[in-house]
Amino acid sequence: MENSIISFSSEKTDMVSSKNHPIDHETEIISLRPEKFDNYIGQKDTVKTLKIAIQAAKIRGESLDHILLHGPPGLGKTTISHIIAREMGGMLIVTSGPAIEKPGDLIGMLTNLNKGSILFIDEIHRLPKTVEEFLYPAMEDFAIDFVFDKGLHARTHRYRLKQFSLIGATTRVGLLSSPLRDRFGIFRNLDFYNIDELVNIIKRSAILLNVKMDNNGLIELAKRSRGTPRIANRILKRVRDYAMVHSHGEITKQTVNQALALEGIDTRGLTVLDRNYLNTIIKFYNGGPVGIEAIAATLQEETDTLVDVIEPYLLKIGLVMRTSSGRKASYNAYQHLGINHQN
Ligand code: ADE
């Protein structure tokens, strides 16, 4: 199981156990992540709600309500959880739905939580059903119910837990069962970032990475970040490498254009997979409507990757439409790919 425990109770950030970090938890990405809400750019309403909830919980001396954060990958679900744990001054335990295979895995974690600890479960929609059922009393009553024997002889034993807060993150809120969804007190959707917000995020990262960028370079990079800070920071590093080798380290619009051409990232930030997805609908399926399974089969990609990673941004910028009979490419998708639109 891949869990990591990070303690925010002292000045030092303490990673007790963390085998095989997922990309999210790479050391360098963590260093670009804001550690306080004061440094967090974007998601204004969510940040406002969370700051109020944190302040109120602290005044009452209680744990924070359980929080569900949902939205496409890379928009800050993990970052926000780290900030919450730090601001609450509690221990943060990071795990994910698929990593918790059986109830024993979850019980082990729950019984080790202290008062005020935060348990962060990424991809919570992938939690096995048998595990999920142990979460209900844990979330509602801070207790776990152990059942001994069956039928007439069945007895339950209630084990009390410390008051903790669960933060669940998911890219697919629709897949969460309603009993689980209903047990979260705070429910927030993270949306794509606008260009101004991305410009400010990139500006901040460039300062932390000690890279020089001019204004046009900044704007160009922001436009190609797919509305996503994680992508902005990733491509900033690629452009930084390119600029170091080709233009004395300074990032301009020209270096952004040249470096991202090498990465296969186009003027709207679309990747090779984004364009293959659109091309499949247009060229194989006559522009759609076509079912997602058929697109996935043609592309030889996982349906989940298309639904979680590729589609949200293409839907957001209006290049694809979801209809009751399947996905359709929009007129703008044809234009973007330079394909003639019949009719
Ligand atoms: N780095 C990644 N996401 C960020 C955000 N929302 N604000 C500031 N820096 C970030």
Side-chain angles (χ1 to χ4, degrees):
M1 206 202 312
E2 294 166 11
N3 305 313
S4 62
I5 305 175
I6 303 165
S7 166
F8 291 102
S9 34
S10 62
E11 279 297 292
K12 197 163 106 307
T13 295
D14 203 3
M15 272 215 199
V16 181
S17 94
S18 48
K19 291 171 264 161
N20 274 336
H21 287 191
I23 293 174
D24 246 15
H25 308 133
E26 279 174 15
T27 336
E28 196 169 9
I29 296 201
I30 284 194
S31 74
L32 292 182
R33 278 189 178 143
E35 295 185 333
K36 297 186 278 186
F37 277 130
D38 290 346
N39 301 332
Y40 195 93
I41 296 155
Q43 311 295 346
K44 283 207 173 70
D45 291 343
T46 299
V47 168
K48 222 182 255 176
T49 304
L50 294 172
K51 274 178 148 176
I52 292 171
I54 291 170
Q55 212 177 329
K58 279 183 170 170
I59 293 170
R60 290 194 300 265
E62 287 177 1
S63 60
L64 201 59
D65 260 350
H66 305 303
I67 300 168
L68 184 69
L69 299 174
H70 58 101
L75 300 187
K77 298 186 287 294
T78 309
T79 304
I80 287 177
S81 303
H82 279 256
I83 297 177
I84 292 172
R86 182 173 290 273
E87 304 220 343
M88 286 299 289
M91 184 172 69
L92 173 70
I93 290 98
V94 178
T95 186
S96 73
I100 310 177
E101 291 170 1
K102 47 191 190 308
D105 298 336
L106 179 72
I107 292 166
M109 268 181 271
L110 290 173
T111 52
N112 277 308
L113 298 175
N114 299 320
K115 182 164 190 234
S117 293
I118 299 218
L119 175 61
F120 175 67
I121 308 183
D122 202 4
E123 296 188 78
I124 195 164
H125 62 276
R126 294 179 62 191
L127 212 53
K129 193 80 204 145
T130 49
V131 173
E132 195 180 303
E133 279 162 12
F134 275 85
L135 258 188
Y136 303 157
M139 291 173 77
E140 211 156 72
D141 306 321
F142 301 113
I144 310 174
D145 292 321
F146 292 99
V147 183
F148 302 97
D149 281 349
K150 285 186 184 152
L152 266 183
H153 302 289
R155 288 163 293 134
T156 56
H157 175 73
R158 187 153 255 228
Y159 180 92
R160 292 258 155 230
L161 300 169
K162 308 265 172 42
Q163 273 196 29
F164 71 99
S165 306
L166 175 69
I167 304 182
T170 179
T171 48
R172 292 271 202 105
V173 74
L175 295 185
L176 241 61
S177 69
S178 55
L180 181 58
R181 217 175 35 225
D182 294 346
R183 282 172 171 83
F184 288 97
I186 300 172
F187 201 95
R188 300 300 309 204
N189 174 237
L190 303 190
D191 200 0
F192 289 106
Y193 293 64
N194 63 35
I195 299 293
D196 283 350
E197 290 164 343
L198 288 165
V199 161
N200 287 325
I201 289 170
I202 297 168
K203 214 185 261 179
R204 178 179 175 275
S205 300
I207 292 169
L208 291 172
L209 294 172
N210 205 9
V211 221
K212 267 208 210 148
M213 288 186 88
D214 72 9
N215 218 32
N216 290 333
L218 260 172
I219 293 168
E220 193 57 29
L221 203 59
K223 281 186 186 163
R224 293 173 180 235
S225 298
R226 276 180 120 259
T228 308
R230 186 188 294 159
I231 296 178
N233 284 335
R234 188 172 73 218
I235 62 178
L236 169 63
K237 288 178 193 163
R238 298 291 65 77
V239 178
R240 171 182 64 162
D241 288 352
Y242 186 91
M244 280 175 86
V245 174
H246 288 285
S247 64
H248 313 289
E250 175 149 0
I251 298 176
T252 60
K253 183 172 175 176
Q254 195 189 6
T255 45
V256 172
N257 287 339
Q258 290 167 346
L260 295 188
L262 283 177
E263 296 290 315
I265 293 172
D266 70 22
T267 50
R268 295 198 75 175
L270 304 196
T271 62
V272 175
L273 185 52
D274 289 320
R275 291 190 299 276
N276 285 347
Y277 168 94
L278 292 172
N279 267 314
T280 300
I281 300 179
I282 293 172
K283 293 185 177 160
F284 261 77
Y285 297 102
N286 231 347
V290 51
I292 187 67
E293 302 291 346
I295 304 171
T298 310
L299 283 171
Q300 297 189 38
E301 272 295 338
E302 291 287 328
T303 307
D304 280 355
T305 309
L306 301 183
V307 174
D308 292 347
V309 182
I310 301 300
E311 291 191 328
Y313 190 65
L314 298 179
L315 285 161
K316 168 85 185 175
I317 62 171
L319 294 192
V320 72
M321 293 169 289
R322 268 165 86 159
T323 69
S324 54
S325 43
R327 274 66 171 171
K328 271 185 83 171
S330 70
Y331 174 73
N332 286 342
Y334 283 79
Q335 279 224 311
H336 181 67
L337 296 176
I339 301 171
N340 234 346
H341 190 260
Q342 324 289 337
N343 69 52

